[in-house]
Each structure stands twice: as structure tokens, then as C-alpha cells.
Amino acid sequence: MYRDGARKSIWQDEIKKISTENDLSQWFDTVIVGGGITGVSTALKLQESGQKCMILEAANIGFGTTGGTTAHLNTFFDTTFAQAIQDFGLENAKLYAESGKDAIHIIESNIKKYDINCDFARRSAYLFALDEDQEKQLKDIVTGAARVGHEMVYVNEIPFPIPFREAVRIPGQGQFHPIKYIKALCEAFIQLGGAIEEKCICEDHEEHDDHVILTTSKGEIKAKNVVYATHIPPGINLLHFTNAPYRSYAMAFTLKDNGFSRELGYDLHEPYHYYRIHDINGESLLIAGGEDHKTGHSDDTGECFSRLESYVREHFDVETTYYSWSSQYYEPIDGFPYIGNLPGTKKRIFVATGFRGNGMIFGTLSSQIIHDLIVAGTSKYEQLFSPSRIKPIAGFSDFVKENTAVAFDYVKDKIFVERIDSLSEIKPGEAKVFRYESDNYALYKELNGTFHLLRSTCPHASCEVRWNGAELSWDCPCHGSRFNVNGKRLTGPTTKNLDKIFPFQKK
Ligand code: FES
């Protein structure tokens, strides 16, 4: 299978083509746009309840974040219970605490029902503080967890060779192989009559009282309901102002010591590191993640891997780096995911996004919420995760500014100081964004000397893209659209490519 970058993730060997033969002129009950864990789980759930569904995937199943996750299954989240109590109140925070348990239960019951071999295992998580500030943070986390009834127990030892000041053990967590899991869900979905159309970009929708017409790269498709499981939907929507794209980095190493703990580990750095073991092709690999940053806001994404590798080698007895890859997720403005009706639409278009670093959990939970909203008209999480909620929390206007004007200016200031006097200034493997006369350009020089020249203005809402050297992609800092060196769209919300001027070879 392919992914949305130049690097290969640890999961990637698992799926080949999975499309079905489809008649796109027939009517569907629900079309689900996006073939990651959110889309596939939701499609299966709806198909199970008798609906006729189709998954539309722009590339291939698992192409996006599901193919690049580190696949921790947690019932505690990036937004802590303490923060949730402060911003949403105790009762809502309790419901939020239930959501993780519900999601893991859904995964377990799918595994049981369809007899899925996806390396699922229950684990304990260890969360630990390395300095005085982190100790206070940990205390806060534990106090919040106690108030919502979530078990976290102080311990004197952790099963990782890291000097710590205080630590807690959190039982009942889990891990799995995300691509084996969604591949099996796809097979179950197809068995039940579901349709999967790969390499089909959904460009727009038109909502009517009793149906929706999707405009796609393969023509119009009609359905009673549409679910955008693509992080952020195409077009411009409230969600583009309430979610920010982030990049996250992961690496997998062979270990010198086979007796390494199989529990899950998390420090409290900002951004935090996390790690676990997974057996791939008979070998135990340590998967470590971290070094997150806002998309398009790192001058050298390769350094994120270097920092992560240094951290791992400082603490763990590892040998070879087998895999290194990155992926994208979205930070919601108020810390809770957005799952439900797409703002500004009537009742037939649904969305699920803003999962922070808990995509496997909230992607899975989305399947239950969206199923319940479509089939029963209501969900116990409807209000809590409503995409239309506007929480007037501190920092709202800063967040919006950061996602629009600030992101735009940041990039503009960075790139327009660049002056390309001659193409020979660009070294092989380098890329630059520059202005020439009144237009802005993105230029990449391959190691063999071939230049790729594109217009650098993102077709979604006209921000300027930035180079991601680690994944050989042009990334838009505003809403996270990404393109390869030829300008081809890798991820939305844009539905279009960057304008290509030419590739050429200069001696
Ligand atoms: Fe919105 Fe680029 S993704 S402007």
C-alpha cells in the first residue's frame, strides 16, 4: 500500500488493492469519504445495520494517518481529564472518560465478531514526570482522573530505563496492528455487500432535503447521507478555523535486549515521547514517537527524526533503525474532537476530526456516534462532541489567527526573503519557495539534478506551501493540504494539485 509521504511506515506492507467493482450510478444510503480507521469502521457499522454503503478513498485504504499511527489504544487522552473538567464541567468530563472505554470495547467486539488477527493486546501504560514542573502536571492529571473515576496508580518503578521523579500506572490500555485491523474490517464490509472505490477524489457536495450529490473525480454519486472521514472536509467550513494540522514523527528500532518490557510508556515533555514494542515479521521492534510540530512550521523536518533518534538511543539499548515515518493529525481549538453533523449543513452530512494524538480511539468512537446519529437520530455523545459547538474559551481568537493570518504571514515572511539569483544556488536535494515578478514558486532539485517547478500557492485557500524535506512534500501550514514534488495532491482539504510549471534538467 502507498502512504502520503516518501517514507515507509512499519505497517505498510500489509494491504494491496482492496477496491470492489462498483456501479457508481446507483444510489447509496451512505457514502463515507476516507478509507482510514474512521471511514472503514463507520462504513462497516452502517452496513451491519442494513444500510447500503460505499467508501470513497482518494488514494488507497490506509493511505493517510491510519497507515502512520503508532497505534496506542488509550483511555486517557492528550486533553487531560483535569482540563476537560475545567473547560466542560465534571459531568461532561465523566462522559469524555467513558468514550475511550467505549472505543476499545468496539475494537474488541469487532475483533471477536470477525475473528480478526491484528496483534491486539491489553497493556498497562506508564506516565512519568522527569522534573518538578512535570511532577505538578502529573499530580494535576491524576487528580482530574480520580474525579472522573479513571484509575491511575502511583508507582515506585517503571519498566523503562529512564530516570524519573514520579510515575503512575494506568491499567486497561491496549495496542494493535492498525492496518491488519482495518483490512479485516474492509473484508467484513465487502462480505456484507459494501462497496469500496479507491483513487476517487470527492471534490464537493450538494445537499438536498432527502439526498446529497457528491461531485467526484469519477463523476456524480448520490446518497442519502455523506460522512467525511478525511480529517477536514473539502471547501471552506467552520472546522478550518477550529482545527490546526500537526506533524508527528515515529521510528522503529531493533532491540539488543529481548527482555524489554511490553508495556506502554509516555513522558511529559512538551511535546511528549511515547513508545511500545510490536512484533513485525518475527522481530520485536521498539516504536517511539514524538517531536510533533505544527504542519509547515519546521525549517528542517529531518531534524525531528534526528532528535527522536538521539532521545531513544540515550535511553534504550537499540540497534538498527528499521523504519522512520511521519503523519498528520489535527488539534481542535478546545481539546475535544468534532464528531457529528458538518457545521453549516442540514442533517445529511457528517464529519469526524480534531482527534489530537488519539486518532485510533476517536476514529473508532466516531463509527458508533455517526451510526447512532444516522440510524437512531441521536447519540449520547452528540452534544459533547458536536462540530458546531463554539466554546468561548481563552485563546479562541489567537487560535483562529494562528490558523489564518498568522500562518500566512509566517510563511510569507519566511519565503519572501529568499532571492534566487541563479538556479545553481540550489543544491541537489534542496527546495526553496521564492517570488518572481508577481508570482510565488516552489522549486525542488532532485539528487540527479532534475528541477521541479510549481506555483507555491495552495489551491485550497491561497496560503503558501512549505517544504517538508523528511517526506519530500510541500505542506500547507494553514489547513494541512500536502503535495508531492510534482505538485500532486497527497492530502486535503484541497481537491486540486499545485500548478506545475515544469520539470527540467540543468547541468
Ligand atoms: Fe487551506 Fe492550504 S490547506 S490554504
Side-chain angles (χ1 to χ4, degrees):
M1 78 182 230
Y2 295 101
R3 280 205 62 235
D4 58 3
R7 289 168 178 265
K8 187 173 172 184
S9 88
I10 193 169
W11 319 117
Q12 225 164 314
D13 285 331
E14 207 49 48
I15 303 192
K16 304 276 181 274
K17 188 174 161 54
I18 210 162
S19 275
T20 49
E21 289 292 319
N22 304 312
D23 170 7
L24 301 182
S25 66
Q26 66 181 308
W27 279 72
F28 292 90
D29 289 315
T30 302
V31 169
I32 298 95
V33 186
I37 193 166
T38 307
V40 172
S41 310
T42 305
L44 176 60
K45 194 108 197 135
L46 288 166
Q47 191 79 23
E48 280 173 341
S49 65
Q51 287 220 334
K52 183 170 143 191
C53 298
M54 177 159 71
I55 298 171
L56 275 192
E57 164 55 51
N60 51 259
I61 295 294
F63 183 78
T65 307
T66 303
T69 175
T70 53
H72 291 233
L73 299 173
N74 297 127
T75 57
F76 65 100
F77 309 121
D78 288 3
T79 299
T80 65
F81 297 120
Q83 191 67 48
I85 294 166
Q86 183 183 309
D87 291 342
F88 292 87
L90 184 59
E91 288 314 306
N92 283 326
K94 282 183 178 169
L95 186 55
Y96 175 58
E98 253 179 68
S99 67
K101 291 173 187 157
D102 280 358
I104 296 186
H105 177 70
I106 293 168
I107 291 171
E108 279 184 311
S109 65
N110 278 336
I111 288 171
K112 198 164 165 209
K113 185 168 181 183
Y114 296 109
D115 195 17
I116 300 173
N117 174 9
C118 61
D119 312 337
F120 176 84
R122 283 282 187 176
R123 303 278 188 236
S124 285
Y126 288 82
L127 185 61
F128 46 89
L130 306 174
D131 59 33
E132 207 177 317
D133 278 353
Q134 291 182 19
E135 264 183 83
K136 284 189 202 127
Q137 213 183 316
L138 185 62
K139 191 173 171 206
D140 221 38
I141 289 171
V142 175
T143 308
R147 290 187 67 197
V148 299
H150 194 289
E151 189 179 358
M152 292 189 185
V153 188
Y154 276 103
V155 289
N156 295 321
E157 287 182 2
I158 62 172
F160 308 105
I162 295 183
F164 68 98
R165 290 172 68 119
E166 283 214 278
V168 291
R169 187 174 72 84
I170 309 165
Q173 310 305 297
Q175 65 176 54
F176 69 164
H177 188 306
I179 297 298
K180 282 186 184 174
Y181 176 70
I182 64 163
K183 180 183 171 194
L185 296 195
C186 283
E187 286 163 358
F189 174 64
I190 292 168
Q191 277 284 318
L192 291 169
I196 299 179
E197 186 72 27
E198 292 187 321
K199 292 190 171 43
C200 182
I201 297 180
C202 175
E203 293 161 353
D204 203 357
H205 60 254
E206 192 181 295
E207 189 181 19
H208 297 264
D209 285 345
D210 59 353
H211 70 282
V212 182
I213 300 175
L214 287 177
T215 308
T216 79
S217 54
K218 294 188 180 176
E220 283 189 352
I221 297 174
K222 297 185 192 72
K224 289 188 194 140
N225 305 289
V226 169
V227 180
Y228 282 112
T230 54
H231 294 293
I232 297 286
I236 300 286
N237 189 276
L238 177 65
L239 294 175
H240 294 98
F241 300 98
T242 53
N243 288 275
Y246 276 72
R247 303 294 303 167
S248 186
Y249 296 81
M251 301 180 89
F253 304 84
T254 54
L255 287 155
K256 288 184 191 153
D257 173 11
N258 272 340
F260 195 87
S261 167
R262 294 197 162 247
E263 308 293 27
L264 312 174
Y266 308 81
D267 68 23
L268 284 167
H269 271 298
E270 182 54 47
Y272 67 98
H273 299 101
Y274 43 97
Y275 27 86
R276 72 175 183 87
I277 299 286
H278 203 102
D279 293 338
I280 295 283
N281 301 327
E283 210 164 0
S284 296
L285 301 183
L286 173 74
I287 303 174
E291 301 299 332
D292 305 13
H293 62 78
K294 195 168 184 302
T295 299
H297 281 230
S298 168
D299 288 333
D300 184 351
T301 47
E303 268 182 19
C304 299
F305 285 115
S306 310
R307 281 197 298 273
L308 182 57
E309 179 158 3
S310 303
Y311 168 88
V312 171
R313 291 194 183 278
E314 184 188 335
H315 296 295
F316 300 97
D317 209 4
V318 295
E319 271 180 326
T320 313
T321 310
Y322 265 22
Y323 300 90
S324 58
W325 71 98
S326 64
S327 58
Q328 186 152 290
Y329 64 93
Y330 281 80
E331 287 278 340
I333 184 168
D334 61 11
F336 275 12
Y338 296 103
I339 306 166
N341 278 115
L342 179 65
T345 63
K346 297 165 193 159
K347 284 280 162 208
R348 298 195 170 272
I349 301 182
F350 299 83
V351 71
T353 188
F355 297 161
R356 304 197 72 182
N358 307 112
M360 295 299 99
I361 290 296
F362 289 122
T364 300
L365 187 75
S366 300
S367 70
Q368 185 70 56
I369 296 176
I370 293 173
H371 166 274
D372 292 351
L373 290 174
I374 289 177
V375 173
T378 180
S379 157
K380 70 174 177 178
Y381 295 109
E382 188 175 350
Q383 299 301 325
L384 191 65
F385 296 145
S386 166
S388 300
R389 70 178 185 270
I390 302 268
K391 280 221 30 101
I393 61 166
F396 180 85
S397 59
D398 287 350
F399 187 96
V400 171
K401 265 193 243 152
E402 189 185 323
N403 276 350
T404 50
V406 172
F408 186 82
D409 290 345
Y410 172 86
V411 174
K412 192 176 68 171
D413 292 348
K414 282 254 172 203
I415 64 170
F416 296 154
V417 297
E418 298 283 2
R419 292 279 178 267
I420 305 289
D421 294 328
S422 130
L423 288 175
S424 56
E425 277 182 23
I426 301 203
K427 299 185 192 74
E430 252 189 13
K432 288 219 187 295
V433 187
F434 64 96
R435 183 190 277 285
Y436 178 71
E437 296 184 341
S438 56
D439 279 317
N440 308 323
Y441 297 93
L443 180 64
Y444 168 63
K445 185 179 185 179
E446 279 189 60
L447 293 175
N448 69 5
T450 304
F451 285 93
H452 296 268
L453 184 61
L454 310 164
R455 282 201 209 284
S456 61
T457 304
C458 175
H460 176 240
S462 300
C463 291
E464 300 299 323
V465 295
R466 296 217 57 214
W467 180 239
N468 177 347
E471 295 285 3
L472 303 185
S473 63
W474 293 104
D475 297 358
C476 182
C478 287
H479 315 108
S481 292
R482 299 179 56 245
F483 311 85
N484 73 10
V485 292
N486 291 311
K488 187 172 182 301
R489 167 199 183 277
L490 292 171
T491 53
T494 185
T495 59
K496 299 197 164 42
N497 299 331
L498 287 177
D499 281 345
K500 187 168 166 174
I501 309 300
F502 52 77
F504 68 93
Q505 193 131 28
K506 185 174 182 291
K507 301 279 179 217

